[in-house]
Amino acid sequence: MQHISPNEKQNNASHLPRLAYTMQETAEILGVSYITVHRLLKRGLLKSSTDLRHKLIPMTEIERFLKTSMEQA
């Protein structure tokens, strides 16, 4: 059986694509504040996971929001 060190596990995890982001990470991606992301979620302009303790916003949702907001501008 092959032993994998914690460092190797961390390196492997860093190569996995990110599928979703926290509200703070989403704010950083969009270049807005955390409270703005909160307001966008509340208004239904962004959607997050509902089955988790902490809200996660899928990358596809962030991209959809950017695309639709650019079309309206």
Side-chain angles (χ1 to χ4, degrees):
M1 181 174 203
Q2 184 180 2
H3 176 71
I4 298 175
S5 71
N7 285 341
E8 289 175 317
K9 284 182 182 179
Q10 185 177 11
N11 286 340
N12 287 339
S14 66
H15 295 303
L16 296 174
R18 289 288 303 266
L19 299 177
Y21 295 89
T22 64
M23 289 176 61
Q24 183 61 47
E25 291 170 328
T26 301
E28 291 172 14
I29 290 168
L30 295 175
V32 298
S33 68
Y34 176 90
I35 195 68
T36 298
V37 172
H38 177 67
R39 289 177 183 143
L40 291 169
L41 288 167
K42 210 166 172 147
R43 291 171 51 194
L45 297 174
L46 263 178
K47 294 178 178 61
S48 67
S49 64
T50 57
D51 294 337
L52 301 171
R53 185 176 189 181
H54 299 283
K55 294 183 184 302
L56 286 178
I57 296 108
M59 187 56 164
T60 54
E61 180 62 16
I62 296 168
E63 291 169 342
R64 183 207 55 80
F65 169 75
L66 288 172
K67 184 178 178 187
T68 57
S69 65
M70 293 300 290
E71 290 172 353
Q72 294 173 358

